[in-house]
Amino acid sequence: HLGVFWVIYASGNGLAVFDRKTNTLTPYSFYEQEPPGTGLSGVQAMLEDRNGNLWLATEGAGLLKFDREHLRFIRYRNHLSDSDSLAEDRLSTLFEDKEGSIWIGLGALGVSRFATKTPAFEKFPRNLGDPNSKGESLVGGIYEDHQGMLWIGARQVLSRLDRKRGEYKLYRLVAP
């Protein structure tokens, strides 16, 4: 939407910009060394999301997001030790859903989703602040006081959650 004429192709580096005023084609490289000229190695798909971010699905270099402010690419790759990373680096297609998440078609492992917003739900431990809690912890009430503290009433436990500090305090029912 900014008028840049991006050109993608499935071999070599797979990305260039065409300047219509000067009739020049400027290639981009996001590989440490030039890939071979044969076979798939370049960009398989391109998507400009609703915020104007440019996303590129590559054949081996992972997911790329163009940082317009610094004129560089941010790379998202598979890291074997990180289960939250991209499942693989061979990508085939991109799609943006109604919530703004980017869905990525993978070369061999199905799909992955890149959440561009924080998840709608945040999960907390069963009994806040009690790492030894086990079993059911039915919450019967939640209240926010004038200081912004959340009070959570569960079976025989009252928890206070200070969301600003991320601190929990437990108050256990004492038998009379």
Side-chain angles (χ1 to χ4, degrees):
H1 79 275
L2 295 177
V4 177
F5 193 88
W6 294 93
V7 179
I8 64 170
Y9 43 99
S11 63
N13 284 317
L15 182 66
V17 172
F18 181 68
D19 185 334
R20 289 177 272 195
K21 293 178 186 171
T22 63
N23 285 330
T24 57
L25 189 65
T26 305
Y28 273 82
S29 179
F30 35 83
Y31 292 98
E32 291 182 17
Q33 58 183 349
E34 190 70 24
T38 59
L40 298 176
S41 61
V43 176
Q44 301 299 309
M46 179 172 59
L47 169 77
E48 184 173 16
D49 69 20
R50 67 185 65 166
N51 297 319
N53 296 310
L54 185 68
W55 298 87
L56 303 171
T58 70
E59 179 66 37
L63 178 66
L64 302 173
K65 178 183 175 183
F66 186 60
D67 177 357
R68 292 183 197 275
E69 184 178 335
H70 298 100
L71 299 176
R72 65 184 178 103
F73 286 97
I74 300 167
R75 185 187 312 254
Y76 299 94
R77 297 198 79 150
N78 172 263
H79 299 285
L80 294 176
S81 61
D82 183 359
S83 62
D84 289 332
S85 71
L86 193 60
E88 70 172 295
D89 292 331
R90 292 181 323 129
L91 314 179
S92 60
T93 190
L94 297 170
F95 170 76
E96 180 182 18
D97 67 19
K98 292 178 183 178
E99 294 177 350
S101 292
I102 306 299
W103 291 82
I104 304 120
L106 304 172
L109 299 175
V111 296
S112 282
R113 181 178 65 98
F114 184 91
T116 56
K117 299 177 184 174
T118 55
F121 295 96
E122 183 178 354
K123 294 180 182 177
F124 292 90
R126 287 180 200 240
N127 284 332
L128 297 174
D130 185 359
N132 300 318
S133 68
K134 293 184 178 151
E136 183 181 317
S137 59
L138 174 69
V139 173
I142 303 171
Y143 172 75
E144 182 178 21
D145 67 19
H146 67 281
Q147 295 175 338
M149 301 289 182
L150 275 185
W151 295 88
I152 302 161
R155 290 189 177 166
Q156 300 185 353
V157 174
L158 178 65
S159 301
R160 184 186 76 194
L161 170 58
D162 183 339
R163 292 182 289 175
K164 292 178 186 168
R165 292 186 176 149
E167 296 174 352
Y168 310 104
K169 184 162 184 174
L170 251 50
Y171 302 90
R172 294 196 182 279
L173 182 64
V174 179

